[in-house]
Amino acid sequence: MATILVVDDDEDIRELVELALTTEGHEVATATDGARALDHLEHQQVDLAIVDVSMPVLGGIGFTASLRSMERRSYGRRPRTTVVLLSALTAPEDIDAGLAAGADGYLPKPFRIADLLRVVQLHLDRRVGEAAGPDAGPDADPDVEDHEPSRCL
Amino acid sequence: MTASPDAPARRPVPPVVAAAGLLVLVFLLAVSSVRFAVPGTEVAAWWPASGVAAGLLLLHDRRHWPLLTALLVPTAAAANMLGGRPVPLSLVYGVVNAAEVLVFCVALGGLRGRPSMMTGEDFRRLLVAGVTTGLGIGVVAGLVVAVMTDGDPWSTLRSVAASHSAALLAVVPVFLRSTPAPGLLEHRRVAVVGQLLLTAALTAVVFAPGQVLPLTFLVVPLVVWGATVLPVRWLTWQILVISAAVTVMTAEAGGPFGAPDSIDAQMRGAMVQLFIVTMAVVALPLAVAVQQRRTALEEARAAASALRRERELTSAVLDSATGTAIIGTDPDGVITYANPGAEGLLGRPATTLVGTRLTSLYDPQALQARREPGVSDLDVVVHSVVDGEPVRQDWCWVRADGSPVTVNVATTVLLGDGTGPGGYLAVTHDVSERRAAERAVEAALQREQEAVERLEQLDREKSEFVSSVSHELRTPMTSVLGFTQLLGTGAGGPLTERQRDMIGRIDRSGHRLLGLIENILSLSRVESTRDEDAAEPCDLREVVAAALTETEALLAPRDLTLCTTLPDEEVVVQGERDQLERVVINLVSNAVKFTGDGGRIDVDLTSTDHTGTIRVSDTGVGIPPQEQERLFESFFRATTAVTSGVQGTGLGLTIVRSIVEGHGGTVSVDSQEGRGTTFEVRLPLS
């Protein structure tokens, strides 16, 4: 099971995602905006961050860009955190902006719980595959190409 | 005369016949001249044959002159022989006569075309040619006589020169072109008839045997009178006839010139010749001069008449232009003319306008506004025309009652005597109503423009509002659907069957509401972002393939046959790929929704030179004909769709049409209820 950070200013969404993930057995931490999420990551590593795009203080895209910047400056001391953005903005340009900022996936709201869990599992499996090295290739989900971010799965 | 252009109505005699006739005439005249020679003289009193021979040449084209001249030689020779002259002498005379005629015709200018008798110059040329030719043949005849006979060469020279000169002067004018004088006889019938009768009678009387010499001078004034009343051609004929008569009468009966007791034989011929020459020389130039003056008078009269008609026309035009004010001024701008249109425009009679200044018609304030230092008011008013083309200008004039009137004035400079303008002409229209109408139209256009802008603004605001609302709706929908699903999975505790059923209903209704929100958002995006920048070349084959991938999930749980036909060549349109995919997705998902299991769906892509066509056909429930028109309206759902229990928002086809039309294409439907439906999307190729 994995440690997952859920970031959303809407309490209902936060609890929905948390409930869905904890039911699956994941360990969940939450934050109400991008700045707090970054603070959290300073102290505690997570396997995956599910982040809303439209938030006060620091939105999902700003959060992702900052996180990626921090990771680059650490020169490998920080492992790369997988980020899946979550948003009611579903226009192609919005999705492109999120992926360009460095997100690994983009899940439009509203989403089916099943879809959420599938996306989460997909990215967690890929992390495992990457950590195990190239030899672990056959274990990875054959539907997912290595560095192609999943868009709206 | 037969070939004369003066009588075009007469049928022209063929040139050969005319030439033959004239040759015979030459022969007869020559014979009779020898025959009618004054008794006691060696040569004829005059020789009309040479005049007719000259006419023969002058009437014919100069190309035929050599032949005609050659024919004249035997003619004249034969006449001389018949007159009793020896053969060698006759032959020499024949050659000399023919040569004389040729020389005369050349001297008269016959090589340049048929000479005329219309001006004093024409007569002068005839006189010079006739006299010189006469003198020439006289000299030649004198030499011939001296060489071949024992006659007196000097007297031969004198009589031949005189007789030939007289013959040429009296006969040749008949053959010359003269000014046609149509209608002359109608105006002067009495004078013409009187002159002809009187001259004929007097000639007969004074040249009758036993008359005294001085009476012969009475004929000359009559011929001079004839010169003033007869056409030139008639006069030439009269002179010819009188000459012939005098010759015959003198030779046959004696008469004043032939009285043997008073005049010797030598003098008789000279008298006849001088008489003929006098008539011709006095009357011909006078007749020509009279005719010239008459022609000039007629031309002047015609010109004056034309000028009068033109003036009347101008006056009529000016008077009838009641809708146009036409005002003429002198160079100082004082009005000299105003037409009825000006009276109507200004509300005052023309008599009160004439004498006032043109500038006094203008509104003083309007004049003040356009006044420039050092420029007179008149120049301000007319300055636009001084440099050339008149420029139409709007001005304000003041009517007699003091009311202003907006006028459009075009001022023209009248040509003067060269030192400056001869005056000005102001052509003016009342444009008050037209200008008012133009202002009204302008204002209406302005209002319309504002209304359009306001509508566009409203439209933008509406689209933004819809987009924002749709977006805001998604977040709570996420919670509603998400928690419902969690409840359904038992995350909130175990569920009874009844609870599970209720949760299922919430979930289905929630998704239906979500579909509605999705479609509204999609439609508002299509309507609000129709910019060309987002357009890119799209291969419709890829668009169709991508859309079918998206709809795979819909097809998977169904028992439907999907057949896709794509062409081998690419079908490229300019457009937004996502939107075009949306079109195909909506059509295919409709087909899936409204076609029962076991049915078939066909997706075809074809292309012509300019159009790409996507056809989506199904074997589903179909659409009633009366509802096909409303199919693309927002929120409209066909009754077959409602009764089949398939959920939908009534926006799918609205979105399709909106996108297709945004790409410059068209969409149409063909359906039979219970049999199936075909949608056809046509897009212009790039």
Side-chain angles (χ1 to χ4, degrees), chain B residues 33-45 247 250-251 258 265 268-269 272:
Chain B
S33 293
V34 177
R35 165 73 184 78
F36 291 117
V38 178
T41 60
E42 294 183 18
V43 292
T247 308
T250 302
R268 286 176 200 158
V272 171

Side-chain angles (χ1 to χ4, degrees), chain B residues 158-178:
Chain B
R158 274 186 305 172
S159 66
V160 167
S163 71
H164 280 253
S165 299
L168 290 171
L169 287 177
V171 178
V172 169
V174 168
F175 298 99
L176 302 181
R177 289 187 297 122
S178 62

